[in-house]
Amino acid sequence: MRAQAHTLESIMAGVLLIGSIVFALQATAVTPLSASTSSQHIENQQQANAEGLLATVAQDGALKRAILYWDDGNDEFPHADNSPYYTDKPPKETEFGAALYDAYHGSGIAYNVYFSYQPPGGGRRHIRWVYRGVPSDNAVRVTQLVTVYDSDPLYHEDGGEIVPKPGTSVKSSGFYAQDIGSSEVFNVIRVEVVVWRM
Amino acid sequence: MADVSERGQLFLIGALSLAVVFLLLAVVLNSAIYTENLATRGSNYVGDDDALRFQSDVHRMGDGLIDHVNDHNEGQDYPTLESKFVTGVESFSTAATRYGARTGEIADVTVDGSSWIEGTRIVQAAGTDRTFVDAGSTTDWTLVTSVPADRGMRNATLRVAPDSSVLAAAPNDDPADYVSSNAFRVRFAESGGPVYAVFVYWSSSNDVAVRVVEDADSDSRTFYGSTCHASGGGHETIDLTGGTVGGDRCAALDFVGTLANDYDIQYRNGNHASGTYDITVRKQRSDVQSAAYSSDTTASPYTAEAIYAAKLKLRYETNRLHYETTVRIAPGETDV
C-alpha cells in the first residue's frame, strides 16, 4: 500500500514538473518583432522606403506634374478606371506613377495616394489618386508638401510623356483645387502615401 | 523518500515554488524581447526626418516662388516684387500650419525682411528668333559691368537656335583662330584677371558646340576644358551657372565658379547667334540699364527688376522636437 502511494506521489511530481515547464515556455509573448505581416521591422522598412521614393520624386518636379495631370473636360484624372481616381494601378505615363508601380508591384504591398488641398474658407479636403482599399492596422504614412502657383498649366499626355497642355491653367479650368487667396501661390497640395503589407 | 511526517505538504510547497520560478523565467524572457523591440524602433521616433523634409519643401517652394514672382511681374519695382513674395510665403505658411495642426505639429515660415538682395534680370524674350545684338543692333556690346565675383550671377541661361546659317562655322583647333574668327562669344572680362570667352558655333558634326578659351585677350591664351556639343532638335540650352549644355554636363563651364574678381559680361559677334537668354545679376537695375537695352519690357533685350535672393526663417515643432533654421533662396546659383 505504501509503495502505491510512493508511486502516485512521484508520478504527480513528474506531471507537475513537466506541466510547469510547458506552461513557462508557452508564456513567451508574441511581440511586435515576431515574424508576421505586422512586425515592427517591416513597418520601419516600409517607412524608409516610402520616404525615399517620395523625396526623390518631389525633387525633380515629377510629383508636381502628377498633381497637375488632370482632365478638366471629364472632371477626372486621365484614364481613371474608377472615376475620378485610379484603383488598379497608377498612371505609368507619369514618373510618380511609374516609380510607385516599379517599387511596389508584385511584392505584396498595397498603397493609397491622397492629394489634400485647402478650400478657400479653411479646413482641408482631399481627393484620392490611387485607392486600393482600407489600410491594415500596421500601415505607414508619408507626406510631402507641393506648392502650385497661379500660372501653372495643366498637364496631359503627349507621345508617352507628360507635357503642359497649352492654353490651360490651374486658375481657369475645372481643377479640383481652388485659389486660396490673392497671392501668387495657388494652393499647397499635401501628397499622402499610405503603404501597408497585404 | 525523506522520512518526514507531512510529506504531502512539503511536496505541494515544492511544486508551487517551482511553478513560480518558471513564471518568473517567462517574465524575464519577455522583458528581454521587449527591450530588443524598443532598441530597434525606427529613428523616426523623434521626428527629425519630418523636420528636414519640411525644410526641403520650404526650399523648393522658395525657389519656385522667386522665379514665378520675377517672371510674371516684369516692369514692377522692387517693393512690389518683395511684397508679392511675402504674400506668397504667407499663403504657404498658412497652408502648412493648417496641415500640421491636424497631426500635432507647428510648421511655420516667414520671410526675413532685412535680408532682401535685389538684382536685375537681363532678358531677350521668346518670340521671333532675334540675334544677340543689342537694342541698337550693335554686334559687340557690354551687357553689364562689375558683376560681383562672389554670388553675383545666377540662373544665366542662353537658348541658342541651331541655325547653321546664323552660327559661325567651326574655327581651326587653335585658340588664336577662335578669337580671330567671327564666332559668337560671351566674354567674362575680370578686372585684373584673365578674360574667359565662351564660344558658341556650328560644329563640323552638324550640331551646336561650345568651347571656352582662357585668357582670350593675351597671347598666352589656351583652351579651358574640352568642347561640349548639344544636339536635341530645338533650341539648345547653355546653362552657364549650372554648367550644362543641352542638358548634359559640360566641364568647361566650371570656370564660372572660379572667377575671383568683379567681371564684365560682354557679347562679341552677336549677329552670329540667335535665340533667347535670361541672366540674373546682383546689381540694381539702375546700374545695368543702358542705351544697349530697350527702355521697357515690350522689346528685347530689356532689363527688369528681380529679387536676387531672400532668406526664409522656418520653424518646426512637435512635442519632442523644436527645429528652427534660416534658408537662403537663390535658385540657379553656382555651387561653389
Side-chain angles (χ1 to χ4, degrees):
Chain A
M1 197 55 202
R2 277 183 67 188
Q4 286 171 345
H6 282 213
T7 312
L8 191 62
E9 179 183 6
S10 54
I11 286 174
M12 289 313 296
V15 164
L16 200 61
L17 209 64
I18 289 175
S20 301
I21 290 176
V22 166
F23 176 74
L25 287 177
Q26 294 289 347
T28 310
V30 172
T31 72
L33 283 181
S34 314
S36 76
T37 57
S38 59
S39 151
Q40 181 71 28
H41 282 314
I42 291 184
E43 265 188 49
N44 293 347
Q45 194 178 44
Q46 281 174 7
Q47 176 103 16
N49 233 0
E51 276 175 7
L53 186 140
L54 209 51
T56 315
V57 167
Q59 190 59 31
D60 53 9
L63 199 55
K64 189 157 176 185
R65 289 193 282 274
I67 287 172
L68 297 173
Y69 183 54
W70 174 257
D71 184 354
D72 52 331
N74 298 327
D75 244 7
E76 60 170 16
F77 289 107
H79 316 302
D81 50 340
N82 184 11
S83 178
Y85 55 88
Y86 303 94
T87 52
D88 184 26
K89 56 180 187 298
K92 292 211 276 173
E93 58 268 21
T94 58
E95 291 120 321
F96 181 38
L100 280 173
Y101 186 82
D102 289 339
Y104 294 126
H105 176 75
S107 43
I109 296 178
Y111 48 91
N112 288 349
V113 182
Y114 303 95
F115 294 150
S116 301
Y117 57 91
Q118 308 254 320
R124 186 191 75 128
R125 301 261 165 74
H126 70 261
I127 182 171
R128 295 172 176 172
W129 196 59
V130 176
Y131 188 75
R132 309 192 69 189
V134 178
S136 73
D137 285 341
N138 301 88
V140 293
R141 186 186 68 143
V142 184
T143 61
Q144 187 91 30
L145 291 175
V146 178
T147 318
V148 176
Y149 304 101
D150 283 350
S151 65
D152 282 337
L154 297 180
Y155 282 69
H156 71 304
E157 181 182 2
D158 186 6
E161 274 196 348
I162 306 299
V163 292
K165 195 166 171 185
T168 58
S169 148
V170 288
K171 279 187 89 112
S172 56
S173 315
F175 192 57
Y176 50 88
Q178 293 84 46
D179 198 346
I180 50 172
S182 56
S183 72
E184 308 266 337
V185 170
F186 179 78
N187 211 320
V188 180
I189 312 278
R190 188 167 80 159
V191 179
E192 207 173 299
V193 179
V194 179
V195 174
W196 71 97
R197 200 166 186 84
M198 283 198 272
Chain B
M1 274 300 210
D3 190 18
V4 175
S5 59
E6 299 187 315
R7 231 173 22 224
Q9 289 173 347
L10 195 65
F11 171 68
L12 193 66
I13 291 166
L16 277 172
S17 48
L18 207 60
V20 167
V21 163
F22 283 131
L23 276 173
L24 284 174
L25 186 70
V27 167
V28 165
L29 203 63
N30 236 3
S31 57
I33 291 172
Y34 189 60
T35 307
E36 191 199 342
N37 171 18
L38 279 182
T40 57
R41 286 241 173 114
S43 65
N44 204 25
Y45 192 63
V46 172
D48 47 352
D49 281 356
D50 294 334
L52 292 175
R53 196 155 351 110
F54 181 64
Q55 181 175 334
S56 73
D57 286 345
V58 166
H59 201 113
R60 208 170 310 120
M61 181 274 299
D63 282 353
L65 190 61
I66 275 200
D67 281 344
H68 184 97
V69 166
N70 286 341
D71 292 347
H72 288 84
N73 293 288
E74 285 174 347
Q76 309 282 341
D77 59 1
Y78 287 117
T80 311
L81 292 175
E82 287 159 12
S83 80
K84 282 190 183 261
F85 184 74
V86 169
T87 42
V89 172
E90 278 170 3
S91 292
F92 176 85
S93 182
T94 313
T97 311
R98 283 199 193 134
Y99 283 129
R102 281 183 156 261
T103 43
E105 303 148 359
I106 297 178
D108 180 90
V109 187
T110 50
V111 182
D112 185 354
S114 60
S115 67
W116 296 113
I117 298 183
E118 293 165 353
T120 307
R121 274 176 70 225
I122 299 169
V123 181
Q124 173 150 305
T128 57
D129 272 336
R130 195 179 174 281
T131 56
F132 291 169
V133 297
D134 76 353
S137 298
T138 314
T139 60
D140 297 351
W141 55 294
T142 303
L143 274 73
V144 58
T145 57
S146 298
V147 177
D150 180 36
R151 294 180 162 179
M153 178 175 71
R154 69 172 178 83
N155 211 14
T157 48
L158 291 92
R159 301 194 71 230
V160 176
D163 188 346
S164 56
S165 61
V166 174
L167 289 166
N172 294 329
D173 193 24
D174 183 278
D177 276 342
Y178 271 75
V179 173
S180 59
S181 75
N182 61 352
F184 166 73
R185 69 212 71 173
V186 184
R187 286 166 46 98
F188 289 83
E190 285 182 88
S191 57
V195 173
Y196 287 90
V198 180
F199 289 85
V200 181
Y201 54 92
W202 187 255
S203 78
S204 48
S205 41
N206 285 334
D207 57 14
V208 175
V210 173
R211 199 102 195 248
V212 178
V213 170
E214 183 178 356
D215 222 357
D217 279 355
S218 84
D219 286 332
S220 56
R221 54 178 76 95
T222 55
F223 285 124
Y224 185 94
S226 51
T227 319
C228 302
H229 293 265
S231 54
H235 284 65
E236 304 300 347
T237 304
I238 301 170
D239 188 343
L240 294 169
T241 41
T244 62
V245 169
D248 297 327
R249 169 134 168 72
C250 181
L253 292 177
D254 286 348
F255 76 89
V256 177
T258 65
L259 296 169
N261 307 311
D262 290 356
Y263 51 91
D264 300 348
I265 305 180
Q266 303 160 344
Y267 281 175
R268 295 276 180 271
N269 298 324
N271 53 333
H272 282 287
S274 60
T276 68
Y277 51 86
D278 188 330
I279 302 174
T280 310
V281 290
R282 181 162 61 91
K283 290 187 70 101
Q284 296 281 322
R285 180 166 182 248
S286 47
D287 292 338
V288 179
Q289 178 67 15
S290 67
Y293 298 103
S294 72
S295 51
D296 59 19
T297 62
T298 54
S300 292
Y302 58 86
T303 59
E305 283 94 343
I307 300 173
Y308 184 82
K311 282 206 169 121
L312 296 177
K313 285 195 286 212
L314 70 94
R315 183 167 68 112
Y316 186 86
E317 269 187 62
T318 65
N319 60 338
R320 290 190 196 100
L321 176 73
H322 181 111
Y323 181 73
E324 275 184 32
T325 188
T326 309
V327 285
R328 177 190 147 100
I329 310 287
E333 226 171 27
T334 343
D335 289 329
V336 168

